[in-house]
């Protein structure tokens, strides 16, 4: 099949009237689409909840452990009274 034959076949297909779909396909598509939207919404909410929990856990850890403070030295005693 040459390029012109393929192009003519495609044009014939595009010029034909679309076939009617069975009515049960529409209801099935709506049902599946609704289910997909509910799952996506639930997944999005769970992800935001996990992000919030992680942020709160990090904040509590940072306030408790205070990693920005230098730990006291254990190797040399403090020099006082000089």
């Amino acid at each position: 099949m040459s390029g012109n034959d393929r192009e003519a076949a495609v044009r014939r297909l595009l010029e034909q009237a679309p076939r009617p779909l069975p009515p049960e396909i529409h209801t099935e598509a709506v049902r599946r689409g609704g289910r997909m939207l509910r799952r996506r919404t639930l997944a999005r909410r769970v992800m935001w909840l996990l992000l919030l929990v992680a942020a709160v856990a990090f904040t509590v850890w940072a306030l408790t452990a205070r990693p920005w403070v230098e730990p006291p030295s254990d190797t040399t005693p403090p020099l006082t009274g000089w």
Side-chain angles (χ1 to χ4, degrees):
M1 201 178 223
S2 70
N4 289 339
D5 292 338
R6 276 192 231 139
E7 184 178 339
V10 169
R11 286 185 188 277
R12 277 194 308 274
L13 285 173
L14 291 175
E15 288 171 357
Q16 293 175 354
R19 296 181 192 169
L21 294 175
E24 64 270 3
I25 288 181
H26 178 264
T27 56
E28 181 70 18
V30 168
R31 186 180 65 80
R32 286 185 181 185
R35 185 171 52 193
M36 282 178 28
L37 285 176
R38 284 191 301 276
R39 284 182 181 174
R40 256 188 226 154
T41 303
L42 179 66
R44 192 177 301 123
R45 287 181 181 167
V46 167
M47 291 301 290
W48 277 111
L49 180 66
L50 288 175
L51 181 66
L52 177 67
V53 167
V56 169
F58 175 77
T59 304
V60 169
W61 170 80
L63 291 174
T64 306
R66 296 176 30 179
W68 56 86
V69 175
E70 186 175 328
S73 175
D74 293 332
T75 56
T76 57
L79 297 174
T80 57
W82 278 70

